[in-house]
Amino acid sequence: MYWNVMYIRIMNKSTLYKGCLEPIIMRLLKDNGRMYGYQITQMVKEITKGELQITEGALYPLLHRLEEQGVVETEMENIGNRVRKYYTLTKAGKKQTSIAMDELKIFMQSLNLIVNPKLA
Amino acid sequence: MYWNVMYIRIMNKSTLYKGCLEPIIMRLLKDNGRMYGYQITQMVKEITKGELQITEGALYPLLHRLEEQGVVETEMENIGNRVRKYYTLTKAGKKQTSIAMDELKIFMQSLNLIVNPKLA
DNA sequence: TTCCAATACATAAAATAATTAGGTATAAAT
DNA sequence: ATTTATACCTAATTATTTTATGTATTGGAA
């Protein structure tokens, strides 16, 4: 017999990172090589001390899109009775990640110029 | 007689700042007191050396929403035969801007923790 | 040993926020 | 004279995310 359990989800502390999610994930994959979805959400939460929390509804469709586009490739791994789906950057994906990181840095610098105009 | 002229618009160098536009505008209004729409687009372009370019389609509806919400108030000014619409933060708007700036800073720090994990 | 929380995947509807593409008009520069 | 810059605006579309689901296994606490 199976009972569906409701979980309360408090995931969005900020809506600021629209558009930044993709480069964030690419960066993590670049640093850590091989990751699965749930691991990505946990690592982001840990690194940012809970400030950035990725919702599954944003993450999984994005990962699937990146796979479609050839940015990442996947392999399944059986953990007991459960299946994990690991994601790795492809060669093309690594190139794209470098470009994305350059763009992200420029964006962050630009943001900083606006928020901290004195430090220009 | 009137001829409609087509302008070529190249405005989006990055789609990263979705969600950041509102705090950016609030920050500029806090720093500069009284600004009109076009001036905001030009200042952002100038400060960021052309990296961030706000489209009018994003800016004006956002400014109107901020006015509706009581974050900003407006006054018209006649410049020759033309009308300028100046925006100023309300008292409530200034408070909200402080909060938005705190959030933005935390967001930027979080981004930095992900992009520069060694500097943690 | 039963229940809850955590792990682990996924999708669909709705909301949000931007781009793209138009429209109108004045003033300055070429 | 014509183009570019200034200055406002809106609507349709696109993109991205939240919210709300659904399914299922595993580990720990009561």
Side-chain angles (χ1 to χ4, degrees):
Chain A
M1 191 66 172
Y2 158 77
W3 288 276
N4 184 32
V5 183
M6 289 290 289
Y7 295 96
I8 296 163
R9 303 194 186 202
I10 308 158
M11 288 269 200
N12 68 320
K13 283 203 175 171
S14 96
T15 59
L16 290 167
Y17 65 124
K18 279 185 202 229
C20 294
L21 201 51
E22 188 180 311
I24 284 171
I25 286 165
M26 289 165 84
R27 172 77 205 203
L28 287 179
L29 286 172
K30 195 173 199 177
D31 285 348
N32 302 288
R34 210 175 83 105
M35 299 184 82
Y36 57 99
Y38 186 77
Q39 188 186 10
I40 291 171
T41 65
Q42 297 309 301
M43 191 172 279
V44 167
K45 211 199 307 194
E46 202 196 319
I47 292 176
T48 66
K49 281 139 199 159
E51 290 300 334
L52 248 52
Q53 298 193 40
I54 299 174
T55 57
E56 291 155 294
L59 178 70
Y60 290 115
L62 175 50
L63 285 171
H64 300 162
R65 208 198 68 214
L66 291 176
E67 191 181 6
E68 250 180 64
Q69 295 173 343
V71 176
V72 297
E73 55 194 0
T74 62
E75 28 172 357
M76 300 299 206
E77 192 166 304
N78 282 72
I79 308 292
N81 264 355
R82 220 187 286 170
V83 182
R84 263 189 208 157
K85 197 166 171 184
Y86 276 95
Y87 291 85
T88 321
L89 285 172
T90 61
K91 202 163 190 177
K94 281 175 194 165
K95 260 186 216 170
Q96 265 188 256
T97 302
S98 293
I99 295 165
M101 285 310 106
D102 290 344
E103 283 173 2
L104 187 57
K105 274 171 197 168
I106 287 169
F107 169 68
M108 287 165 71
Q109 281 163 20
S110 297
L111 258 191
N112 215 53
L113 285 168
I114 291 164
V115 175
N116 276 14
K118 52 199 166 187
L119 309 171
Chain B
M1 191 65 172
Y2 156 78
W3 287 274
N4 183 31
V5 183
M6 289 290 290
Y7 295 96
I8 295 163
R9 301 192 187 203
I10 307 159
M11 289 268 201
N12 68 319
K13 284 202 174 171
S14 96
T15 59
L16 291 166
Y17 65 123
K18 279 181 201 231
C20 294
L21 200 52
E22 189 179 310
I24 285 172
I25 286 164
M26 288 165 85
R27 172 75 204 202
L28 287 179
L29 286 173
K30 195 173 197 177
D31 285 347
N32 302 288
R34 210 174 84 105
M35 298 185 82
Y36 56 99
Y38 186 76
Q39 187 186 10
I40 291 171
T41 66
Q42 298 309 301
M43 191 171 279
V44 167
K45 210 200 306 195
E46 201 197 320
I47 291 176
T48 65
K49 281 139 199 160
E51 289 301 335
L52 247 53
Q53 298 193 38
I54 299 174
T55 57
E56 290 156 296
L59 177 71
Y60 289 114
L62 175 50
L63 285 172
H64 300 162
R65 207 198 68 215
L66 291 176
E67 191 181 7
E68 250 179 65
Q69 294 173 343
V71 175
V72 297
E73 55 195 357
T74 60
E75 29 173 353
M76 301 300 206
E77 192 166 305
N78 282 75
I79 307 293
N81 264 356
R82 219 187 287 168
V83 182
R84 263 187 207 157
K85 198 166 169 183
Y86 277 95
Y87 291 85
T88 320
L89 285 173
T90 61
K91 203 163 187 177
K94 280 175 196 166
K95 260 186 215 169
Q96 265 188 256
T97 302
S98 293
I99 295 164
M101 286 309 106
D102 291 343
E103 283 173 2
L104 187 57
K105 273 171 197 167
I106 287 169
F107 169 68
M108 287 165 72
Q109 281 163 19
S110 298
L111 259 191
N112 214 55
L113 284 168
I114 290 164
V115 175
N116 277 14
K118 51 199 166 187
L119 308 172

